[in-house]
Amino acid sequence: MNYSKKTVKDVEVSGKKVLLRCDFNVPQDKETGAITSDKRIVAALPTIQYLLEQGAAVIACSHLGKPEASFDKWVKKQTEKGKDPASLTQEKWQKSLAKLSLAPVAKRLGELLGKEVIMAADVVGEDAKAKAAALKPGEILLLENTRFEKGETKNDPELAKAMASMAELYVSDAFGAVHRAHASTAGVADYLPAVSGFLIQKELDFLGGAIANPKRPLVAILGGAKVSSKIGVINNLLEIADTIIIGGGMSYTFSAAQGGKVGNSLLETDWMDYSKDMIAKAKDKGVTFLLPVDTVCGDKFSPDAKSQIVKAGEIPDGWEGLDIGPETVKLYCDAVSGAGTVIWNGPMGVFEFPAFAKGTEAMAEALSKTSAITVIGGGDSAAAVEQLGYADQMSHISTGGGASLEFLEGKELPGVACLLDK
Ligand code: ADP
Ligand code: MG
């Protein structure tokens, strides 16, 4: 895949109507609907401000949550959840949709920009069309939740065309959604010249750079809960990394595959053969493949579990591995100290429990001290690095959990592939 894409700086935006796909999928309080973190809105500001300053008229759009755009499907789903079909009225369905309106985002975005954000009542309906047509350079309009349209997740060309018809240029800055081929993330690019905003540009520079043209040696740290959710990542990184480091819950499947005792640790027996194959493949390819040599285990999966340190593969019955041990930390810190690039996906242990966060923290600290380019991908990995206070010391923390995983898997991302090559 080509990661070198045209950006807003490579095209004329002044005086143009620009359809800007943002990631405004913000977390909300279940009861009140209040936005609980405006991080994603803040992250979108540089591209929005640039476009407005350049005299573009910005038509912003995003999805929010998972509204059910079809009444019949909504009824079916609610019935499956055990709701009485007689109680499922059009009115209730509309209410469920209203909860996922982007109006609160428009308000917050307006506060952050210090200017009015005009809110459309629909995505491609009368209101959106009229407001888009009247929009002047330097003004910003926010369309309603793109998933209120049935065609969004189906990548319906009619919807894509209708969205595109309001604008002259498409700018994509929703990295969190580029792994989805939806009307607003990919389809519209069939009808408009398409370029990236600054957020996607940075993701492509760092994630794309780390994969396509890394400063070597390239060290990949892979952890997290399960081998099965990281198969694609392991396969792809085995082809390009010089060293692979395994930690987290997935390491116990590797350990068991080599005959180790793993007690109650996370274990995916179906993936033991695969794990063995990966170790063999690494050997064939001359990739250094590091597995934990010791483990911090707990007597239960709980923040107040009793803990002890044991050798890898010697976890007593009734105990489970919840973090990498101190000898492993030393080994792994050594391995990253001379790296040119480090890609990290997946925490080394259950970092949510302070007693079992030490391995993850030690790796974060080691990364903060290297001169390597450090790239963090994966939702929980990003959360761990932030929670432990190392966020500003990494070269790049990806903003897209699922998207960054697919990136590391080497997959072609529809929302990136559709952008104009540089
Ligand atoms: P990412 O979102 O960065 O891709 P994952 O979703 O694969 O990461 O994994 C993150 C989760 O893995 C965390 O919630 C963490 O608690 C869990 N985890 C890490 N190590 C262990 C372990 N030894 N046992 C159980 N869960 C673990
Ligand atoms: Mg995760």
Side-chain angles (χ1 to χ4, degrees):
M1 190 162 120
N2 183 359
Y3 302 118
S4 183
K5 296 292 181 178
K6 281 196 178 164
T7 78
V8 278
K9 293 221 164 149
D10 297 318
V11 290
E12 181 63 48
V13 299
S14 148
K16 292 229 170 105
K17 291 219 165 105
V18 175
L19 179 66
L20 173 66
R21 178 54 155 96
C22 300
D23 180 3
F24 289 148
N25 187 27
V26 292
Q28 287 174 291
D29 184 282
K30 273 205 183 97
E31 298 299 314
T32 65
I35 297 169
T36 52
S37 163
D38 65 1
K39 223 176 93 182
R40 286 181 169 163
I41 308 177
V42 172
L45 292 176
T47 302
I48 296 175
Q49 272 158 342
Y50 173 82
L51 290 170
L52 293 174
E53 277 160 17
Q54 295 293 309
V58 177
I59 304 165
C61 67
S62 172
H63 78 280
L64 174 61
K66 291 184 176 160
E68 184 41 74
S70 141
F71 175 66
D72 293 341
K73 274 202 190 144
W74 176 79
V75 170
K76 197 168 157 240
K77 277 194 189 154
Q78 295 297 314
T79 313
E80 278 164 9
K81 278 188 197 161
K83 297 264 163 67
D84 172 12
S87 73
L88 299 172
T89 58
Q90 285 272 348
E91 202 189 341
K92 273 204 183 144
W93 171 57
Q94 290 292 345
K95 258 195 192 156
S96 80
L97 293 183
K99 275 193 179 161
L100 293 172
S101 166
L102 279 171
V105 170
K107 183 163 170 280
R108 183 71 192 121
L109 178 59
E111 288 163 6
L112 290 165
L113 285 171
K115 75 182 315 166
E116 188 199 359
V117 174
I118 305 162
M119 184 69 208
D122 44 34
V123 185
V124 288
E126 292 303 315
D127 194 56
K129 277 187 187 146
K131 284 175 176 161
L135 202 67
K136 301 212 174 58
E139 291 184 342
I140 173 166
L141 167 71
L142 178 61
L143 304 179
E144 244 317 351
N145 190 342
T146 51
R147 289 195 187 164
F148 286 178
E149 287 290 332
K150 280 181 216 156
E152 164 72 336
T153 54
K154 290 182 198 139
N155 195 6
D156 175 10
E158 288 308 314
L159 175 62
K161 216 187 219 170
M163 292 187 81
S165 71
M166 294 188 273
E168 300 160 87
L169 174 72
Y170 171 63
V171 176
S172 176
D173 218 15
F175 185 72
V178 288
H179 56 312
R180 303 197 168 104
H182 291 174
S184 73
T185 60
V188 286
D190 285 342
Y191 306 98
L192 287 174
V195 301
S196 78
F198 300 131
L199 272 179
I200 290 198
Q201 184 194 6
K202 185 168 183 253
E203 298 277 0
L204 294 180
D205 281 354
F206 280 98
L207 280 170
I211 280 186
N213 188 23
K215 197 172 156 228
R216 293 191 181 271
L218 169 62
V219 179
I221 308 172
L222 301 176
K226 292 177 170 178
V227 181
S228 58
S229 67
K230 299 293 165 75
I231 306 299
V233 178
I234 301 174
N235 284 348
N236 188 41
L237 291 176
L238 255 177
E239 300 294 330
I240 52 183
D242 300 292
T243 299
I244 290 188
I245 290 174
I246 301 282
M250 69 155 84
S251 66
Y252 306 104
T253 298
F254 281 91
S255 173
Q258 293 175 301
K261 281 178 59 191
V262 298
N264 292 338
S265 307
L266 264 185
L267 174 64
E268 292 178 288
T269 47
D270 288 352
W271 291 97
M272 281 164 61
D273 283 343
Y274 170 85
S275 307
K276 257 195 227 163
D277 289 349
M278 287 305 108
I279 296 171
K281 195 170 168 194
K283 216 175 195 176
D284 271 1
K285 289 188 168 291
V287 175
T288 308
F289 201 87
L290 300 177
L291 289 162
V293 292
D294 59 355
T295 279
V296 185
C297 50
D299 62 347
K300 56 185 172 188
F301 188 83
S302 158
D304 57 9
K306 261 196 234 137
S307 79
Q308 63 168 322
I309 298 163
V310 300
K311 278 194 184 150
E314 295 182 12
I315 299 176
D317 290 341
W319 293 71
E320 60 191 290
L322 296 174
D323 195 9
I324 54 173
E327 289 304 318
T328 308
V329 165
K330 269 190 218 152
L331 180 73
Y332 288 4
C333 288
D334 269 356
V336 299
S337 68
T341 307
V342 182
I343 298 176
W344 185 7
N345 169 247
M348 296 291 97
V350 185
F351 71 94
E352 295 92 337
F353 303 162
F356 301 99
K358 291 196 186 84
T360 303
E361 174 152 27
M363 292 314 291
E365 195 192 345
L367 259 60
S368 74
K369 286 183 179 152
T370 64
S371 55
I373 297 165
T374 48
V375 180
I376 316 296
D380 292 293
S381 310
V385 169
E386 269 156 30
Q387 185 190 308
L388 297 166
Y390 290 91
D392 55 0
Q393 292 170 62
M394 302 299 159
S395 310
H396 180 63
I397 300 181
S398 177
T399 54
S404 65
L405 278 193
E406 294 201 14
F407 213 110
L408 297 179
E409 289 173 357
K411 280 195 187 149
E412 176 166 290
L413 304 170
V416 174
C418 71
L419 306 177
L420 293 170
D421 290 335
K422 210 159 193 154

